[in-house]
């Protein structure tokens, strides 16, 4: 009997993270200081990040050890299962094998806990008492709140207002874990106040919330900033996903032809993809296809430019070379709140620019259609973000069917949708609006890129 | 390294259910017909239940085979993990070992799926097209909706109005799985209309919703009724929980001194407890303590009477010998909606009446206090129902600490609380009201017991 859920023991949790910087075709362009517009030096980052994470951010070591004490915390919620999607395969009547790694089994509901625990732990080692952060859909805020509860640290979350309104129970979840949560833009920071002065009805954005959290950290000695995506060390912490999936597929006797992840900032995508991309970059799996899936309402890769831009909306944070829609771009209030980010991880950006990975974008309705098909066949309710990956996986499985090819498809089911029922209500009642790329707004936003 | 989550493979899922009727000290008193007030004959039950389940209901066979096709469906979501609560133990500084079986990992969020799948499958074998049921907190309705989606059957859910209002997203979840959901009392049935005529503002109760679902099934040829708790076959389907837990504890080299479950209708309690009670009833574990935990607002065991009463509120359904608060008793709108039932499983009732098990009741606030302690230490958000078991487990662990005893405590964490964030909000903001047993109302309700 072939197991549906391919299991690993707690002992099989990876002991090292994989750092793709060791295998990239060229070094990542340096991050720039928002003040000097010159490469940011580590000391410029210390008001925001603990030293250990700054070192990870710039490291070119291929493997970085996970401290034993941290591994002991990680195993409360890992390894996560790898499922063979046998019911979905049957429904699609496809010769393709579909596997998914399910990261929604922990109470915070997504993969974000992987880096939340790591970041909180390294901060705690350097005696940081409080962590400030932003959250979009709420997954990252939930994960960091949970990590802070585990490590007995304080946590302040700036939650994008549109998500705060759409998902009040995400806020409650963070409060249950002891965090303080504010709807961003707030009037607690200069960044928030300046946005509110311009537009008192602002629904917020990840970029604005980042500005607020960065300012909070920079202006309080006992506090550091944490980011749930985009940065190199964040993607590295997420490689637990792909490293586990590799072991699990090996047990099943398979290796993927196609690896799929949704992208907002790029962390769950990097988490599932990078350990497989290692094989491609090292020339072992030249034909491996890796697909990043983004919403048509916020298509950083498929419609953005590869340029230096601010990571946040008001120009307080570091400047990175990445695919961007412009840091002042304000995406529509789609339900996949976690994918409403103007930029993209520099690592994912380089991989895309070098044509090592592909990208595709979808409107909301086809994404929810895939989510409902998946829920009814596989008995898991996916987060709207993760449903982007499902849509692409289904389409690849249907292509394989048309071509009569036995492809092996792996996608990352990055989180559950238990806090997204309003979105499902909206879809099921036929009220979901499709927002596509608003060309003129992006052109406007791109005129504000910093001169580097 | 000792694993925190004790794992079983899919092959280790039990191949038989345990039927405690084989080991009870005396036969269960027969179920009575609401029409004749005489023992109900199987043919009287066939408008409501498929034959296979009626046979299970009255069977005295100790072990009943789980059909292979059903086992194949079960393993999509089983086995469930057994956790060692090391963080909670540390927090309590107790010498006791605390284990919990976590049934909330499937998307419906609770143990209810165990019997939902079984009941739907047996109905399908007998060519039933639609299932009608009631739901309180929504866990049962979610589970049956999911089972019907898996088996491609129609599903109609009568949801207790107070829960429908408190937990709109439970309704959305059922709709996502394709079910039709009505707030009960409805005006679709005579039962509902008669309640509404008396009290148009009725918040409903499990008893009323049962009446509506029973009437729906009895008046439609292609439709049968399903009950999520109380009945013997339901408790039997749930023994997957305790049978798995036994195997898992064996792997850990332990056997419990105390087994704990919350009780509403009794199914998750019977599921975890009965396989251990087998050892006690067979004289192998005479000192085993088994504790049923109920809300002080609906204390069937600790304040009810052991008597024949209707399972539903309007006297349509069968009459059972059980602990009851009277079928017209209307419990307060506490957040543990799944525990708001006037009666109790006949099996659990006999076990309690024979002093084979103990019972204890708690007010809402101490229960939520335990839930928050648990969430912040163990990183799982418990359902308010399950939190009753946590409260009792914590109290037993503290008693063990006071006595300096190394007790082994096992409790069933029957479901997650992802759809109960309004309740947590209410508790965290200090607005949760403690409802205790309203003596005068129960006395009134007990005056309406049927004469048998």
């Amino acid at each position: 009997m072939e197991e549906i859920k391919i299991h690993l023991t707690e002992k099989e949790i990876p002991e090292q993270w994989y750092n793709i910087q060791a295998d990239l075709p060229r070094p990542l362009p340096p991050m720039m200081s928002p003040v000097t517009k010159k490469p940011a030096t580590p000391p410029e980052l210390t008001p925001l990040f603990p030293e250990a994470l700054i070192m990870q951010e710039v490291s070119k070591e291929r493997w970085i050890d996970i401290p034993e004490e941290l591994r002991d915390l990680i195993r409360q919620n890992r390894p996560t299962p790898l499922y063979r999607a046998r019911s979905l395969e049957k429904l699609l009547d496809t010769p393709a094998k579909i596997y998914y790694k399910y990261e929604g089994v922990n109470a915070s509901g997504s993969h974000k806990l992987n880096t939340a625990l790591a970041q909180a732990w390294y901060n705690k080692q350097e005696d940081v008492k409080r962590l400030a952060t932003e959250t979009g859909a709420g997954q990252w805020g939930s994960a960091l709140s949970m990590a802070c509860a585990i490590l007995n640290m304080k946590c302040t979350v700036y939650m994008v207002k549109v998500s705060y309104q759409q998902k009040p129970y995400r806020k409650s979840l963070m409060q249950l874990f002891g965090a303080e949560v504010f709807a961003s833009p707030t009037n607690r920071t200069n960044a928030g106040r300046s946005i509110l002065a311009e537009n008192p009805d602002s629904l917020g954005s990840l970029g604005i919330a980042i500005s607020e959290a960065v300012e909070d950290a920079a202006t309080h000695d006992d506090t550091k900033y944490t980011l749930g995506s985009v940065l190199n060390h964040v993607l590295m912490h997420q490689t637990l996903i792909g490293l586990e999936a590799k072991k699990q597929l090996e047990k099943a006797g398979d290796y993927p032809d196609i690896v799929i992840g949704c992208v907002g900032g790029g962390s769950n995508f990097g988490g599932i993809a990078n350990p497989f991309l290692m094989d491609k970059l090292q020339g072992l799996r030249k034909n491996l296809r890796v697909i990043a899936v983004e919403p048509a309402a916020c298509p950083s890769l498929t419609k953005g430019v590869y340029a230096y831009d601010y990571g946040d909306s008001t120009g307080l944070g570091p400047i990175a070379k990445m695919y961007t829609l412009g840091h002042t771009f304000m995406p529509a209030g789609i339900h996949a709140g976690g994918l409403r980010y103007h930029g993209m991880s520099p690592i994912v950006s380089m991989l895309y620019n070098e044509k090592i990975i592909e990208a595709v974008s979808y409107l909301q309705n086809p994404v929810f259609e895939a989510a409902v098909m998946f829920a009814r066949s596989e008995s898991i309710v996916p987060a709207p973000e993760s449903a982007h990956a499902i849509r692409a996986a289904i389409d690849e499985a249907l292509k394989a069917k048309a071509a009569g090819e036995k492809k092996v498809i792996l996608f990352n089911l990055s989180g559950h949708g238990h806090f997204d029922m309003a979105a499902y209500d909206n879809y099921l009642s036929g009220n979901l609006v499709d927002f596509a790329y608003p060309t003129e707004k992006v052109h406007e936003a791109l005129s504000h890129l910093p001169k580097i």
Side-chain angles (χ1 to χ4, degrees), chain A:
Chain A
M1 188 179 79
E2 208 174 287
E3 301 237 322
I4 304 168
K5 307 174 293 293
I6 302 157
H7 179 71
L8 296 178
T9 65
E10 291 170 22
K11 271 185 206 130
E12 291 174 288
I13 294 172
E15 298 183 14
Q16 298 178 310
W17 292 297
Y18 167 61
N19 179 16
I20 199 171
Q21 291 189 72
D23 292 307
L24 288 175
R26 68 197 81 253
L28 288 170
M31 203 174 267
M32 299 292 179
S33 154
V35 182
T36 65
K37 305 276 198 303
K38 297 255 148 56
T41 57
E44 285 181 280
L45 297 171
T46 49
L48 298 185
F49 301 105
E51 218 161 303
L53 294 178
I54 296 172
M55 299 316 293
Q56 288 184 4
E57 184 65 16
V58 296
S59 170
K60 289 200 174 56
E61 290 294 319
R62 181 170 290 115
W63 297 103
I64 293 189
D65 288 342
I66 306 173
E68 204 178 314
E69 196 184 297
L70 175 56
R71 287 185 64 220
D72 191 53
L73 298 176
I74 287 172
R75 69 195 183 92
Q76 180 81 15
N77 288 289
R78 296 202 77 86
T80 60
L82 181 82
Y83 283 79
R84 173 80 185 272
R86 56 173 190 161
S87 304
L88 182 63
E89 287 172 16
K90 210 175 291 172
L91 182 70
L92 299 174
D93 187 26
T94 174
K97 282 189 192 176
I98 308 175
Y99 291 95
Y100 55 95
K101 181 76 169 160
Y102 185 34
E103 290 290 307
V105 281
N106 72 77
S108 78
S110 82
H111 67 291
K112 295 285 185 182
L113 187 63
N114 296 324
T115 187
L117 262 180
Q119 292 190 50
W121 189 84
Y122 281 110
N123 271 288
K124 186 157 178 138
Q125 303 317 301
E126 299 185 23
D127 215 26
V128 174
K129 305 293 182 206
R130 183 170 70 101
L131 295 176
T133 199
E134 75 291 335
T135 198
Q139 280 109 333
W140 167 241
S142 305
L144 192 69
S145 304
M146 202 168 135
C148 286
I150 291 167
L151 286 158
N152 208 11
M153 298 171 78
K154 285 185 190 167
C155 184
T156 303
V157 181
Y158 295 87
M159 185 172 188
V160 178
K161 195 178 278 173
V162 63
S163 293
Y164 190 93
Q165 289 168 349
Q166 280 179 348
K167 301 181 169 190
Y169 293 148
R170 272 280 173 199
K171 173 207 67 181
S172 313
L173 183 65
M174 294 182 249
Q175 289 169 336
L176 169 57
F177 287 122
E180 52 174 10
V181 187
F182 301 102
S184 165
T186 74
N187 51 25
R188 306 181 84 237
T189 64
N190 289 330
R193 283 187 291 268
S194 78
I195 296 283
L196 289 174
E198 250 179 67
N199 176 12
D201 300 325
S202 168
L203 286 178
S205 72
L206 267 181
I208 296 170
I210 292 173
S211 296
E212 294 209 88
V214 163
E215 183 181 329
D216 184 337
T219 53
H220 293 90
D221 277 348
D222 64 344
T223 302
K224 299 271 187 212
Y225 169 68
T226 59
L227 186 65
S229 190
V230 180
L231 299 176
N232 305 336
H233 67 271
V234 176
L235 269 68
M236 188 184 77
H237 297 156
Q238 294 295 356
T239 57
L240 290 176
I241 304 170
L243 292 168
E244 283 184 9
K246 263 181 126 166
K247 283 192 202 183
Q248 287 162 313
L249 282 174
E250 204 177 304
K251 288 190 183 192
D254 269 322
Y255 191 96
D257 297 298
I258 307 173
V259 177
I260 298 171
C262 67
V263 282
S267 80
N268 97 79
F269 174 81
I272 188 98
N274 288 2
F276 292 96
L277 283 168
M278 175 176 77
D279 300 339
K280 182 168 182 166
L281 291 165
Q282 293 178 358
L284 303 171
R285 297 282 178 172
K286 290 189 181 166
N287 295 326
L288 174 67
R289 291 180 58 206
V290 179
I291 307 173
V293 192
E294 56 186 16
C298 194
S300 328
L301 290 175
T302 53
K303 304 276 184 178
V305 295
Y306 188 44
Y308 268 107
D309 196 6
Y310 294 102
D312 65 327
S313 289
T314 58
L316 263 182
I319 303 170
K321 182 90 180 274
M322 59 183 177
Y323 277 86
T324 178
L325 298 165
H327 64 279
T328 58
F329 171 70
M330 195 68 78
I334 55 167
H335 282 291
L339 307 184
R340 291 174 74 247
Y341 182 58
H342 68 272
M344 181 55 63
S345 141
I347 287 174
V348 175
S349 295
M350 173 177 278
L351 291 167
Y352 183 63
N353 192 248
E354 298 279 341
K355 300 192 174 22
I356 296 161
I357 64 169
E358 307 164 33
V360 62
S361 75
Y362 286 106
L363 293 166
Q364 286 197 98
N365 276 298
V367 166
F368 274 87
E369 184 198 29
V372 172
M373 280 174 72
F374 184 82
R376 292 185 183 171
S377 54
E378 291 293 313
S379 304
I380 292 176
V381 180
E385 292 82 1
S386 320
H388 286 74
I390 298 174
R391 177 76 263 172
I394 288 176
D395 287 355
E396 289 297 331
L398 292 175
K399 274 188 226 167
K401 179 182 176 180
E405 289 175 334
K406 293 189 178 181
K407 296 284 187 198
V408 176
I409 300 169
L410 166 69
F411 73 88
N412 193 28
L413 186 64
S414 54
H416 69 57
H418 299 175
F419 294 93
D420 298 281
M421 295 318 298
Y424 279 101
D425 265 356
N426 212 341
Y427 169 71
L428 290 171
S429 59
N431 294 324
L432 201 63
V433 179
D434 274 335
F435 298 101
Y437 168 67
T439 316
E440 61 297 344
K441 281 197 191 162
V442 177
H443 285 166
E444 206 282 322
L446 288 177
S447 68
H448 300 292
L449 294 185
K451 313 272 176 282
I452 300 283

